Amino acid sequence: MELLSRSEEQVMAALWACEGPATRREIAAKLPPACRWADTTLLNFLLRLEKKSFVRAEKQGNKNVYRPLVRRLTYCGAVSQAHLQTLYGGDLRAMVCALADTDRLSYAQIERLLRWLGEYQAANPEYDYE
């Protein structure tokens, strides 16, 4: 899967937040304050995303409505895996250590992660845990 630029990711996050097909205005309303671009800039990002097959534009009356073609979970998983490989050689422990050692992962977050991992393992006993 092709990785997106930071700005394209912001547009996709806004579209996913709309929970279905959305107009340019609806997407713009979901963008963070730092990404309040001119209408033409947002339209250019949407056109790029359409060319990359991340969104599909459909005419609805006199407006375009944009539909995500890639699920958030699918994209996030692919990006996370790519960064894990590139930055940490696939070593998840090294990534978690980097987050914890630079105070980007709190002790409370580590505790929640440990609880979740235990619950996940209990719910998926057939999974191959090497």
Side-chain angles (χ1 to χ4, degrees):
M1 173 175 293
E2 184 173 357
L3 299 182
L4 301 176
S5 71
R6 181 83 174 120
S7 296
E8 290 167 338
E9 285 180 348
Q10 295 283 4
V11 173
M12 284 304 300
L15 178 56
W16 288 319
C18 291
E19 299 179 7
T23 64
R24 178 202 40 82
R25 281 200 173 115
E26 292 168 328
I27 296 166
K30 298 285 184 176
L31 288 169
C35 298
R36 299 288 180 192
W37 302 299
D39 292 346
T40 54
T41 303
L42 179 54
L43 289 171
N44 281 330
F45 283 129
L46 288 164
L47 181 61
R48 277 199 244 169
L49 289 166
E50 189 173 16
K51 287 180 181 176
K52 293 179 179 184
S53 298
F54 275 79
V55 302
R56 181 176 58 230
E58 303 166 348
K59 270 291 192 202
Q60 207 173 66
N62 62 348
K63 302 178 195 176
N64 277 340
V65 174
Y66 298 90
R67 178 182 306 275
L69 298 178
V70 176
R71 291 179 30 221
R72 182 182 192 113
L73 182 65
T74 303
Y75 180 72
C76 290
V79 169
S80 297
Q81 180 63 33
H83 288 325
L84 182 64
Q85 284 300 323
T86 301
L87 300 175
Y88 302 98
D91 185 352
L92 186 58
R93 286 178 296 177
M95 185 180 86
V96 172
C97 282
L99 292 169
D101 291 347
T102 58
D103 294 326
R104 287 174 173 83
L105 189 60
S106 69
Y107 190 77
Q109 289 172 313
I110 292 169
E111 285 182 333
R112 283 194 300 276
L113 178 59
L114 285 169
R115 254 192 322 276
W116 177 83
L117 285 170
E119 292 166 4
Y120 187 84
Q121 191 173 21
N124 298 282
E126 70 283 353
Y127 191 79
D128 182 17
Y129 297 98
E130 285 186 26

